[in-house]
């Protein structure tokens, strides 16, 4: 039976470390401040926003919430972002996605100052990630690297296969695994012989966005399987992209859903917020 990679426990461990660090920063007069922007009242977004603000409170990061109504225009949102970019009290800016259809998500993410882009989505920061410069790491993939490291799964020299090539998970995941000296293959909906390619993996990261997609035929015996998916099944239970019951007997290590990758995303956001406030001192 596979080792269970406990994201809830590891995320708590990281938040405790960050809380200690935040305390030390406060003694030096540095208090991180995250501005969270939500447009509309999508219930799932409201839960994400609430969880992020709770984590801020736990770690000791100030959080400011800005809510715009569902019908807000792109200019309304861009104006707010410009205001936050220019506010020296604000160190990180997070715009909760998805945005209503009248707003161009790309234009909004590009408007956030790269220095305050704690989600790591701005093209400048994506570019820095690709060329190996220090930058804010995108939270979900960064959380997966921490899960692997803190569970004793070594990455260097290993075959890593990422299923999915989205800008927020698949692509940055591949870059981070490469940075850790993995041998990385990115696969997607057009990949031929996906099962055979996936079975090469020592580390298999699954971000396809399809509930229960990954079954044991995709998995080499002993592989570490990381499930990024989040869905609700027919019984309204949270589940992932991996068929956990089918895969866990053959995997060497596996993340559950819930309690695997999900909690890590928020703790990495908290880490980026502390990086943001520390950077203000370096740049002064
Ligand atoms: P996405 O829909 O943008 O991308 C899915 C990717 O899967 C695409 O690149 C596509 O090429 C690939 N794909 C689709 N069908 C495939 C197939 N049959 N074979 C191979 N590849 C296929 O999704 P995303 O934003 O990357 O998110 C993926 C999942 O992760 C979703 O369930 C999402 O909810 C979840 N997610 C979780 C977190 C977290 O914090 N845990 C964060 C972001 C996303």
């Amino acid at each position: 039976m596979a080792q269970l990679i406990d994201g809830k426990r590891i995320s708590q461990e990281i938040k405790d470390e960050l809380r200690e660090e935040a305390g030390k920063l406060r003694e030096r007069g540095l208090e991180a401040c995250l501005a969270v922007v939500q447009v509309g009242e999508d219930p799932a977004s409201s839960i994400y926003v609430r969880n992020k603000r709770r984590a801020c409170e736990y770690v000791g990061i100030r959080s400011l919430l800005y809510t715009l109504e569902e019908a807000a225009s792109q200019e309304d949102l861009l104006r707010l972002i410009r205001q936050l970019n220019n506010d020296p009290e604000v160190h990180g800016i997070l715009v909760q996605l998805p945005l209503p259809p009248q707003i161009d998500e790309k234009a909004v993410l590009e408007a956030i100052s790269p220095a305050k882009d704690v989600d790591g989505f701005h093209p400048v920061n994506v570019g820095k990630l690709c060329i190996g410069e220090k930058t804010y790491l995108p939270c979900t993939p960064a959380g997966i690297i921490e899960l692997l490291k803190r569970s004793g799964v070594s990455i260097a020299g290993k075959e890593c296969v990422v299923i999915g090539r989205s800008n927020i998970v698949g692509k940055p995941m591949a870059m981070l695994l490469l940075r850790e000296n993995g041998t990385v293959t990115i696969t997607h909906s057009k990949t031929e012989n996906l099962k055979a390619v996936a079975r090469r993996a020592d580390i298999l990261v699954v971000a396809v966005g399809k509930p229960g997609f990954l079954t044991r035929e995709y998995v080499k015996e002993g592989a570490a399987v990381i499930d990024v998916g989040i869905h609700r099944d027919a019984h309204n239970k949270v589940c992932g992209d991996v068929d956990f019951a089918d895969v866990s007997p053959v995997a060497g290590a596996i993340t559950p859903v819930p309690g695997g990758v999900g909690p890590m995303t928020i703790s990495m956001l908290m880490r980026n917020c502390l990086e943001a406030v520390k950077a203000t001192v370096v740049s002064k």
Side-chain angles (χ1 to χ4, degrees), residues 199-230:
R199 270 202 307 271
R200 293 208 305 254
D202 301 306
I203 297 170
L204 183 59
V205 179
V206 192
V208 282
K210 297 199 161 104
F213 172 87
L214 196 102
T215 51
R216 64 170 67 192
E217 301 90 78
Y218 290 85
V219 180
K220 176 169 83 175
E221 181 128 17
V225 178
I226 306 296
D227 187 353
V228 187
I230 307 180

Side-chain angles (χ1 to χ4, degrees), residues 39 42 70 89 101 114 128 135 157 161 237 253:
V39 184
D42 171 59
E70 182 79 30
E89 297 278 304
K128 284 185 173 180
T135 183
V161 174
K237 255 186 72 185

Side-chain angles (χ1 to χ4, degrees), residues 241-281:
D241 287 347
V242 174
D243 182 339
F244 185 89
D246 190 53
V247 169
S248 53
V250 295
I254 189 165
T255 58
V257 177
V261 173
M264 296 299 292
T265 302
I266 291 189
S267 52
M268 291 300 103
L269 174 67
M270 299 299 105
R271 188 169 80 177
N272 282 348
C273 291
L274 293 192
E275 291 304 318
V277 73
K278 286 192 278 182
T280 60
V281 182

Side-chain angles (χ1 to χ4, degrees), residues 140 164-166 169 188-189 194 207-210 213 228-231 265:
T140 301
R165 58 172 160 185
S166 70
V169 187
H188 46 79
S189 53
L194 179 60
V208 282
K210 297 199 161 104
F213 172 87
V228 187
I230 307 180
H231 316 276
T265 302

Side-chain angles (χ1 to χ4, degrees), residues 146-162:
E146 282 297 319
L147 279 182
L148 292 168
K149 286 186 172 171
R150 291 177 188 237
S151 304
V153 178
S154 58
I155 304 171
K158 294 291 189 289
E159 287 278 352
C160 306
V161 174
V162 180

